[in-house]
Amino acid sequence: MIPFNSAVAEDVRSLVQGVDDSTFDSTHRELCQLADCSPDGCSLLLQVCLDEVLLNADVAKSSRLKPELLSTVFKYCLDKPYFSTSFCEALKTVHVSDMFLVKLSNELNLSAGERVGVGLALSDSGNLGLITKGQKFSIAEIEEICANPAHVLTNDQIHDIVVFLHQTDGLSKHMDSFTNIISLLNVKEMPFYVPAPIKEGNARPTISSRHMELYTGSLDDDFDSLLSEIGKEISMADIITELGYGCTSDIAHCKEILSLFEPLDDMGISKLLGAVVCTHVGLGEAHNTYSTFMSAVGNSQPSDSSQFTAWNIDVLVDSINEIAPRTNWITVVENLDHEGFCIPDEAAFCLLMSIYSRACKDPFPLHAVCGSLWKNTEGQLSFLKHAVAAPTDTFTFKHCSRKMVSLSYARQSGLVLPGPSRGFMPTC
Amino acid sequence: MEPKEAPPPPPPQSPSSTEEEGMLSVTAAMARDAAVLFQSRRYADCAEVLAQLLLKKEGDPKVLHNMAIAESFLDGCPDPKKLLEILGNVKRRSEELACASRQQTDSANGTGNSVSSGSRGSGIIPLISAANNATTYGDEFDTTIITFNTAVILYHLHDYESALSILDPLYRNIEPIDETTALHVCFLLLDITLALQDASNAADIIQYLERSFGVVSATNQNENANTAQQQSAQPKPSAKISTPPDSDSNTCAGGSENLSAGNFSDDTLEFESFYSTLDGGNQNLGRPILNDFSRASADLAATAADLKVRLQIYKVRLLLLTRNLKVAKRELKVLMNMARGRDSSTELLLKSQLEYARGNYRKAVKLLSTPNNRSEQAMLAMFYNNLGCILHQQRSIQTSVWCFSKALKYSLSLRSEKPCKLTAISQDKSCLISYNCGIQHLMCGKPLLAARCFREAMPLLCNRSLFWLRFAECSLLALEKGILTSSGATSCNDEIEVDVMGSGKWRHLVINPVKPSHSSESGEEVSLDKYGNLISLRFARQCLLNAQILLDPSTKENLVIASGTEESNQTSLQGQKGSGQKNTTNTDSKPPGPALTNANGEQKGISNLNVTLQSSLALYDDICRKENLKIKQAILGDLAFIELCLQNHLKALSIAKLLQQLPECSRMYVFLSHVYAAEALCALNRPKEAAEQLTVYLRDGDDIELPYSIENCEKALVEKDSDGEDSVAPVVTKLSSGESQYSESLKPEEAQGVLYIDLGMTAAVQGELEQANYMVSRGVALLPNNPRAVLASVYVDLLQGKAQEAIAKLRRCRTVRFRRHSVAVSS
């Protein structure tokens, strides 16, 4: 990372010193962009702020808008997640006295929470003196907050304070005070949680009250919407491939499993076909899951599923037709354009054709695979690749309505094509 | 309920006015009627009688207490918060009255006239010694019962920490308490400590019960004799509470005890066995069904047997918690024999859990699939939850998700009626099931759903360190999947984009190592809408800090537990003395031979159990220590990664160093800490220190040793499987490819390659081009398809002025995509 050169610092300094009503907004935007681009930009900006606030505060020519600009820009930097890194870098060239942080905070009109943030930012400095000064400053500000709970703190600030009090030894007294006033602070966002120390005595009602608020705060609507989302994400196809070939051992078992996912829609069936086709080999290890699931959920005793080494397509199609007799197999084929669909090899292609021929007597809907470009282009290509190579008894383009047009086109162009009995890719 | 032990003979009464005597008789009779109605479960009538009683004894805390209990039983306690407030108020009033009564007693000791005046005002029996004893006894009893009931309600609300903090002082001062109440306190405390997985405290309580169990048996025998005598004297006793009617305070105290402790804690609870969390093994939640216990007054022999069965159930649960499976199996066999002839659904569930812990999933499922488990909503929720856990262990994630969603559906149906009753809240395991759902979605690679599941589980699990670690991992997974983007996380790109600008001899290649995308804020807004604050790097950081805070006190609490153990030992010694004395008393009334034999047998049994429990506790402590170490490593590793993503390099550096200083840190995390520290130091323009971080792996001749071996990876996997835990996978290093967090971690050779690349880049920054070229070449050899390695090599070539070689490397790389622009290159 290449640090900014001194020319940039001078530019920033002149911008700050020369700010007026007409240039305030544009200057503010530019400086914020500088803080956004990297921790180094933020560090440079903080250095200029420190110089202007502490060293050049009494220069007569300074603009009356400069303090406001510096305050706004500093607070913007304070919100950056890398503020502590940038601030420690900026302080390397500054002599930090005991009153440095107090003076800085006063000049910039920082709020109580922001002051604690500044103090905590020094905790990662390699300089032990800085760390100590930062801690003292933070503790003083926390005491001020405990004494006067009217301060407005953000959730992040509250969380940072609690973490600091937890991780620093000897601050249990402050921990008690701060814990007591947390309920007085206005906490809006959810989820919000600050780990509170568990102990007996006065803390008991606080703990109970907070626990019940958390518990009753979980509205049923949240759980219901969560259940709905989970239901959408559950995939029948994935579950059946997890259970393995035992699912199609016989029609009774297959129907029993499919009925768990009723109603079966064409999209679900389409995804199931895609999953079945992709896994025609290799699921031998799944019989444990199948026997576990069926012995728990099924009504009949499962047979030894380790003997099944392939899907039983007849059982599968017959079971689907019995459970969902109004299945539109044309739509099922059209829905093969879904994420994850792929024909890995010729055997998978033959399997898919067998499924379709048993399920539906109509010719294969060529428009579904040839009529448009799929979203899953790889899946479509994998299908077509095996379709053109398949023998005519497996797949054919004979019933394609555009065949004659292609032949006419071929004849006009003078190309010699194979005989009409051979299937070929039409020019679409 | 058991009839109370016969009290001492009533003290002789002094003469008193007829009016006062009549008043006491009336109120005592009404209190007795209320107690009978409560035991008959006629709560409405009981409330009416108590209301009338309240008119005569306005503001009496005992009557107020009993009224609140009766009303809560009447409608299922729809407002537990209100009930807690009432109990708190009654307790304070009781304490105030106790102080006032003591003052009056002191006055009574002074003069006869004062005694007479005091008795009229407060209703205390006007006898000096009797009044003093009655006051002390009643107040102690009253506060005990109120405290116990408060703990019961908190237990039902799943606020186990608060219930424990309230009940523990009661347990440590358990000797003065009535034995029946003491039993309830111990059993409730066992349920709470087992729910909190506090094995050592649970073991202490079990040992205490073992020592005092003989006392209980002896007492039951005495009561049996008393009952026989009563039956011979009165063929049809009209009341089971044998209390002198004129002892009003005793009657109220007894009534309070019956009304509150026994029925409330026993009848409204059902046993459920949940493998509630996939992390940290198994635990049972809920309490056993012991309806027989409430009928113990009719069958004292059954009472003793039920107590033994119940204690045995707790023993098995504790042994399962500490994963002492051998002894658990033996004790479970004893339990099955004890429970023969009775409803054994509880025992079957425990056996199923034992088989689950042993990895016999098929057998566990068979035991789980009993008809009892499918008869009602709560049992169905438990059934599907347990099935989901078993399928999870068999790596069937999708099916497991389906099971958990079914469990959640059934569990949520318990919330359907409004207002939600206390029993429904107690049986509602939605938070735990939601947590299990979240774990599964993390493993499926669905961080948004996982975060929402964890959000719903927060009320119950917010004090678990591991819970917050999981919550943070949702954001890390979202970052890896591109749902969440970070301007600083350049490692997340899987492709190198090269823009071709200009044409002819003015053609230039512009390499964009950072994929152009919107900022994380707009990214969140686009895809996360109202749940956006669940998935963000800043929220992940807060989660990890929460996890860290909750984990650190565990070490301190170990010390606290140790001191607690010492105190508990003292209590046990006292209990032992008391037990000895009572045994001696009983021996006098029995033949000496059998008594001695029985005593010897009991002593041996107790000694054996103590040894077993101690070894179980030691084993469990070791397991917990190892788990906490793993969690700590994961927390620090994730936290350093997030700080790097947020470009807070100083913080990342300090955290990485903390990780290095962690004792017994695994070699994989040590490697990650060095890589993270080096990256932070580079960003802070301290390349020499960065190189030092990496050269710890440098051997002679510029060869880098493997940072860890295959055995380290395999060992981690084996440990995961044996512990039945979810993986705490190492976080993807920023300079390595974006492998899935839940697939295999970096292979040792890949880690070696990362070190070569990093050292090369460090050397390049320092201007040592020859060294950089050598190191980067070695790294590319080990990681040929890694985009970061290719970029590093291209960078070094460009530094050396070899533009053509750089272009050739880009062309050979499969992850490079050339895009042509029509925009002219400016400047």
Side-chain angles (χ1 to χ4, degrees), chain A residues 1-3 36-40 78-86 88-89 92 120-121 123-126 155-157 159-160 162-164 166-167 169 189-196 198-200 204 207-227 229-231 233-235 238-240 242-243 260-261 287-299 301 304, chain B residues 80-81 84 91 154 157-162 164-166 168-169 361-362 365-366 369 374 383-384 387 390-391 394-406 408-409 412 415-416 418 425 428 430-431 434 437 441 446 449 452-453 455-460 462-463 468 471 530-531 533-534 538-539 541-543 545-546 548-550 552-553 556-557 643 646-651 654 682-686:
Chain A
M1 192 174 300
I2 305 173
D36 283 337
C37 72
S38 72
D40 282 348
L78 188 52
D79 278 341
K80 290 295 167 185
Y82 42 79
F83 172 79
S84 68
T85 296
S86 302
C88 292
E89 290 291 312
K92 281 184 175 178
L120 295 180
S123 59
D124 293 313
S125 165
N155 288 354
D156 287 351
Q157 288 166 347
H159 192 268
D160 289 340
V162 172
V163 169
F164 169 70
H166 267 289
Q167 293 183 336
D169 295 331
E189 304 164 13
M190 286 294 288
F192 177 72
Y193 171 78
V194 174
I198 298 172
K199 58 182 185 179
E200 303 170 8
R204 192 180 310 164
I207 295 173
S208 302
S209 175
R210 185 170 56 84
H211 182 90
M212 272 192 284
E213 286 171 11
L214 274 175
Y215 203 81
T216 56
S218 291
L219 302 177
D220 289 336
D221 295 340
D222 285 345
F223 261 121
D224 289 339
S225 66
L226 175 63
L227 259 184
E229 289 290 323
I230 293 176
E233 294 285 337
I234 286 179
S235 168
D238 289 335
I239 291 175
I240 287 181
E242 272 187 359
L243 295 175
L260 298 173
F261 307 98
H287 59 272
N288 274 336
T289 299
Y290 177 75
S291 59
T292 298
F293 190 78
M294 291 307 295
S295 64
V297 177
N299 297 319
Q301 275 299 325
D304 182 10
Chain B
K81 191 168 183 179
L84 284 174
K91 185 172 183 181
L154 290 171
L157 293 174
H158 306 287
D159 193 354
Y160 304 120
E161 287 86 6
S162 300
L164 178 63
S165 67
I166 288 172
D168 194 56
Y361 303 123
R362 192 185 300 238
V365 169
K366 287 184 177 176
S369 308
R374 312 195 199 205
F383 167 77
Y384 279 110
L387 182 60
I390 292 170
L391 289 167
Q394 293 183 320
R395 302 291 190 264
S396 306
I397 298 172
Q398 296 285 349
T399 316
S400 184
V401 168
W402 181 84
C403 291
F404 285 130
S405 67
K406 292 278 282 184
L408 192 56
K409 197 176 303 180
L412 287 173
R415 297 184 170 202
S416 56
K418 293 188 187 293
I425 295 176
D428 182 4
S430 304
C431 292
S434 182
C437 266
H441 284 105
K446 300 173 181 175
L449 268 178
R452 288 187 57 188
C453 290
R455 160 73 184 84
E456 302 303 334
M458 185 184 288
L460 187 55
C462 59
N463 285 321
W468 290 106
F471 219 152
K530 67 173 180 175
Y531 294 103
N533 57 349
L534 295 180
R538 293 183 105 147
F539 180 71
R541 179 168 67 174
Q542 284 184 358
C543 291
L545 290 172
N546 288 348
Q548 196 175 19
I549 287 173
L550 290 167
D552 288 338
K556 301 177 183 177
E557 284 177 3
E643 297 290 359
L646 293 171
Q647 301 190 78
N648 199 359
H649 305 296
L650 275 182
K651 177 73 78 175
S654 65
C682 279
L684 294 168
N685 296 314
R686 291 147 70 174

Side-chain angles (χ1 to χ4, degrees), chain B residues 44 157 197 217 247 355 362 366 456 558 652 696 788 820:
Chain B
L157 293 174
Q197 298 185 335
S217 296
S247 299
E355 297 300 335
R362 192 185 300 238
K366 287 184 177 176
E456 302 303 334
N558 288 336
V696 297
R788 317 311 308 168
R820 186 172 295 275

Side-chain angles (χ1 to χ4, degrees), chain B residues 97-127:
Chain B
L97 285 185
C99 293
S101 297
R102 291 197 188 94
Q103 291 177 4
Q104 289 173 354
T105 304
D106 293 341
S107 300
N109 288 330
T111 59
N113 289 335
S114 298
V115 168
S116 176
S117 172
S119 69
R120 290 203 187 90
S122 64
I124 296 176
I125 299 169
L127 284 180

Side-chain angles (χ1 to χ4, degrees), chain B residues 304-323:
Chain B
D306 285 341
L307 279 176
K308 288 183 179 178
V309 168
R310 197 167 178 190
L311 188 60
Q312 191 71 9
I313 287 173
Y314 281 116
K315 269 196 250 177
V316 173
R317 288 176 62 190
L318 174 63
L319 291 166
L320 286 172
L321 171 63
T322 56
R323 284 164 233 174

Side-chain angles (χ1 to χ4, degrees), chain A residues 270-285:
Chain A
S270 183
K271 290 185 174 178
L272 177 57
L273 294 194
V276 163
V277 161
C278 287
T279 57
H280 63 95
V281 292
L283 289 185
E285 300 302 324

Side-chain angles (χ1 to χ4, degrees), chain A residues 300-360:
Chain A
S300 55
Q301 275 299 325
S303 54
D304 182 10
S305 61
S306 61
Q307 58 179 309
F308 302 106
T309 55
W311 300 108
N312 188 330
I313 298 306
D314 298 344
V315 166
L316 180 64
V317 173
D318 293 352
S319 301
I320 292 177
N321 281 331
E322 289 192 31
I323 290 185
R326 281 187 291 270
T327 300
N328 185 334
W329 290 97
I330 305 298
T331 309
V332 168
V333 173
E334 289 170 356
N335 286 330
L336 287 179
D337 180 13
H338 59 259
E339 184 182 352
F341 176 80
C342 179
I343 302 285
D345 50 35
E346 182 183 354
F349 182 79
C350 293
L351 194 68
L352 181 58
M353 292 302 110
S354 303
I355 293 173
Y356 184 81
S357 62
R358 183 171 183 91
C360 183

Side-chain angles (χ1 to χ4, degrees), chain B residues 568-645:
Chain B
S568 191
N569 285 338
Q570 294 176 4
T571 305
S572 300
L573 289 178
Q574 297 175 5
Q576 198 167 18
K577 293 179 180 178
S579 174
Q581 293 172 4
K582 292 181 180 178
N583 284 338
T584 304
T585 304
N586 292 325
T587 304
D588 293 342
S589 63
K590 292 179 181 177
L596 289 177
T597 304
N598 191 30
N600 289 337
E602 286 182 358
Q603 286 295 332
K604 290 181 179 178
I606 291 175
S607 302
N608 189 34
L609 181 63
N610 286 351
V611 172
T612 304
L613 285 181
Q614 293 302 326
S615 64
S616 298
L617 288 180
L619 178 68
Y620 184 63
D621 285 343
D622 194 52
I623 291 172
C624 288
R625 192 182 57 81
K626 287 179 180 175
E627 285 173 2
N628 283 345
L629 180 61
K630 286 183 193 171
I631 295 173
K632 183 132 193 169
Q633 292 171 50
I635 290 169
L636 291 177
D638 289 2
L639 203 47
F641 178 75
I642 287 175
E643 297 290 359
L644 285 175
C645 291

